[in-house]
Amino acid sequence: MRYLRPMIAVTTTLFYANSVLADNEMDTFKQQLNALQKDYEERIQMLNARLLKTEKNTQQVNTKVHQIDVKLKQKEFSPVISRAQNTFNPAISLILDGRYASFDNDPDDYKLPGFALGAESGLGEKGFTVGHTELVMSANIDDKFYGKMTIAIAEHEAEAEVELEEAFIQTQGLGNGLTVKAGRFFSEIGYQNVQHAHSWDFADAPLIYRGLFGNQLIDDGLQIIYVAPTDTFLQLGAEVLSGNRFPAGGQHNGAGAWTTFADIGGDIGIEHSWQLGLSYWQADDVVGRESGGHSHGNSAVEETPSFTGSSEINALDLVYKWSPNGNPRNKNFKFQFEYFDRKENGGVTMLNSGPPVETTSYDGHQKGWYVQVVYQFQSQWRAGLRHDQLNVNNTGSDADVLEEAGLSNEGHTAKRVSAMVEWLPSEFSRIRLQYNRDESYEKSDNQVFLQYTMSLGSHGAHQY
Amino acid sequence: MAHTNIRENNMLHQMIKIVGFSVLLQLLCSNTVYAQIKVFACEPEWAALARALGGHAVKVHSATTAQQDPHHIQARPSLIAKVRRADLLVCTGAELEVGWLPLLLRKSGNAKIQPNSPGYFMTADHITLLEKPVVLDRSLGDIHAAGNPHFHFDPHRMLQIAHALTARLTKINAKNSGLYQQKLLQFSEQWQQAILKWKKRTQVLRGKRIVVSHNSWVYLSQWLGLVKVATLEPKPGIPPSSRHLSKVLGQLKQKPADMILYADYQNNKSARWLSQRTEIISIGLPYSVADEESLIHWFDRLLDRLLPVES
């Protein structure tokens, strides 16, 4: 049994041997063929891969060549490095402003009962006049300082007056969110105060600005602002001022006036943004602040009220802006509200009066607010509405002198409603039509302004 | 009366106090983590590039979205707060942001990102610009003295900028230079592949005649071989007037174009008006990357919008 199985196997093998041999030959042939095919396939694949690689390399080389080409061109043209101001010369811009004004009342009769108005606080002249012509020069002085000067040229009673509105230096990138400014500048009190007249939304200042500051609070001094490293915008600041310009007055050794202010602001989503500000101004030692005088009958000399005492102002401002998708170019909306509250304590003397010289103690309290909305409904058109209101409660030992000084409210609440529409051919030009229903004093006035404001020269960046 | 006044004043004083107090709180809390490089990108394309090249080492904020016209941004309080804390500014330059960026820089009180410091990176400084005007005159519209600043539509320039930006990131944050090199390698490989792909896809666009709304497409046209035949704005930055539009209409009636292009953020009224009268297709193109989108994806999307014209 042991040999039986191998024997069977051998016989079977022998029996089939011939045919097996033939099959083997075929297999070998097939195998060879397969191997050959496989070999070729592999080679083709390899070639293909090499071809792809070469192609890729060529493309890479092409890109490199392009890059080198561009770089070479760059060298040839030696590009002007684009800085904010790309020349050493200061950025110069000129604001041309002119208007046609029509008033029902005589603008010379204008008064704001309860406020002793400073110079330049009137309505301006009627008819055609050239308004504030502003010349602005600014530049980075070096890597640490920036400087700016604004000269306003206005005509008063056929005499051209040149006023130095701003002349300051300011640190850039002092670090830790600090910025220091020195010289003459617009105080950071309120919201609109830092804006140049040409960027106001109406032809005239809000009544409360007219009453308190003679349109704008400008003084010489030092300002320091700190921006906190927070996601919500938060800035704190203080100013030490000379205090010899309206609405302060007198010469001071140290600071004649000072301010503190805080602003917070941010975005709500992409379309909305806001800013809320609180500010405070104080002048403890106002000496001889004179305001617009008036003459009695035929007398040639003007009796001018002069205030001496202390003065403080609290202010609140709120601004909200909206634009679709956060893109204000074609459509945007702006809401602006400001509230001021001034308290004064001291005495008022009528200069050039008497004898005896008219004088009274003075305890002043003046409040005022305005609210305005401006809607840009097309890329070249804006329209706006504004409401002003004042509230005065001044007292003094001699009511007659107060009244003569213009500090009595005459039982009147000053109000004004304004509406305007603007056409903006480009971002450098603007033509505005404005109507005021002005109830500053008891005799209400209809006022119409047609105003152009154009800016020549370098782009100015505008504040929020 | 006097009583209410005193109360009002007290309220104001209290509000000032509250604000002061919250500042102190914020100050105390803010000194926590300072690990990442804070990048302030003026436009979303640079935000996307910074994200791609900086990886986890950077925290990027884009000042604008693709829906906003980068010429006309307001120096909003939120932007000042962001610039205040930025380590690196990545912007276009070439006067594109001249209406708002200088103000942000001045107000920020941040030394790191002032001009000429390492944290001040203007992409325009690292490439050549087209359309550098010979004459500077405002009657020619809102032109840029340095040249046309809408170069983010050129992928080749984008790659150059990527190299420069990596160098800058390395300079500011040498600690992560390895990461930045690796990211750049990765980016440029993908980018070159993408350029090849785009080139193949857009062969059909070569020589197509286009009407544009603003001259924002110079670099795109140059890259894709498009031919600009008319501009809807009579002058850069001046909205199309009906007189100018009818002139363009007359011109197109004589010699038609293949498409009218405008940016998504732009007012498309005039483009549509013209399209209706000439039966030329008007196409709104995504001006920049959307939120968190990659640059490659944005280019793909841009070309998708351009290409259906062919089918």
Side-chain angles (χ1 to χ4, degrees), chain A residues 249-278:
Chain A
Q251 297 296 325
H252 305 275
N253 270 332
W258 55 275
T259 68
T260 53
F261 49 90
D263 296 286
I264 50 174
D267 293 342
I268 306 165
I270 285 169
E271 301 195 329
H272 315 269
S273 63
W274 60 278
Q275 183 179 299
L276 175 73
L278 294 170

Side-chain angles (χ1 to χ4, degrees), chain A residues 59 67 74 82-83 173 175 177 226-227 229 231 233-234 267 314 326-327 329 339 343 365 427 457 462-463, chain B residues 5 8-9 12 23 27 68-69 76-78 84-85 94 103 107 109 111 125-128 138 142 159 196 237:
Chain A
Q59 287 293 356
Q67 280 174 23
Q74 209 162 355
S82 52
R83 300 276 177 250
Y226 169 71
V227 179
D231 266 338
F233 170 73
L234 207 155
D267 293 342
N314 280 294
N327 188 28
R329 174 70 169 138
Y339 171 82
K343 286 202 193 70
H365 192 179
E427 55 181 309
H462 276 162
Q463 307 239 14
Chain B
N5 294 336
E8 275 167 19
N9 258 357
L12 273 177
V23 173
L27 280 179
Q68 291 172 308
D69 183 345
R76 299 195 309 278
S78 63
R84 156 74 171 92
R85 300 207 288 166
L103 202 64
K107 292 210 151 203
D125 295 349
H126 301 272
I127 49 143
T128 45
R138 280 282 151 70
D142 189 7
L159 194 57
L196 291 180

Side-chain angles (χ1 to χ4, degrees), chain A residues 62-94:
Chain A
N62 275 347
T63 320
K64 281 262 158 66
V65 165
H66 178 88
Q67 280 174 23
I68 290 165
D69 194 37
V70 174
K71 268 185 190 155
L72 273 177
K73 271 187 203 155
Q74 209 162 355
K75 280 211 175 112
E76 259 170 52
F77 291 118
S78 61
V80 178
I81 302 295
S82 52
R83 300 276 177 250
Q85 278 117 18
N86 55 5
T87 52
F88 287 114
N89 297 325
I92 297 175
S93 70
L94 179 70

Side-chain angles (χ1 to χ4, degrees), chain A residues 120-149:
Chain A
E120 253 199 89
S121 307
L123 291 179
E125 283 160 51
K126 59 184 171 189
F128 292 99
T129 44
V130 173
H132 256 58
T133 304
E134 273 178 32
L135 183 64
V136 190
M137 279 186 229
S138 66
N140 295 339
I141 295 162
D142 52 25
D143 59 331
K144 298 276 184 291
F145 294 101
Y146 163 83
K148 185 179 183 187
M149 184 197 69

Side-chain angles (χ1 to χ4, degrees), chain A residues 203-264:
Chain A
D204 40 15
L207 283 186
I208 188 68
Y209 273 89
R210 182 182 284 166
L212 294 183
F213 308 121
N215 293 343
Q216 213 155 7
L217 179 59
I218 304 173
D219 208 341
D220 303 349
L222 197 70
Q223 178 193 70
I224 181 160
I225 294 184
Y226 169 71
V227 179
T230 49
D231 266 338
T232 307
F233 170 73
L234 207 155
Q235 93 175 2
L236 300 169
E239 290 158 359
V240 214
L241 304 165
S242 78
N244 61 20
R245 288 171 64 92
F246 192 88
Q251 297 296 325
H252 305 275
N253 270 332
W258 55 275
T259 68
T260 53
F261 49 90
D263 296 286
I264 50 174

Side-chain angles (χ1 to χ4, degrees), chain A residues 41 57 74 93-94 119 127 282 284 331 335 352 363 430:
Chain A
E41 266 173 8
N57 283 345
Q74 209 162 355
S93 70
L94 179 70
Q282 186 178 326
D284 287 333
K331 208 173 264 187
F335 167 91
N352 302 322
D363 192 0
R430 175 180 69 209

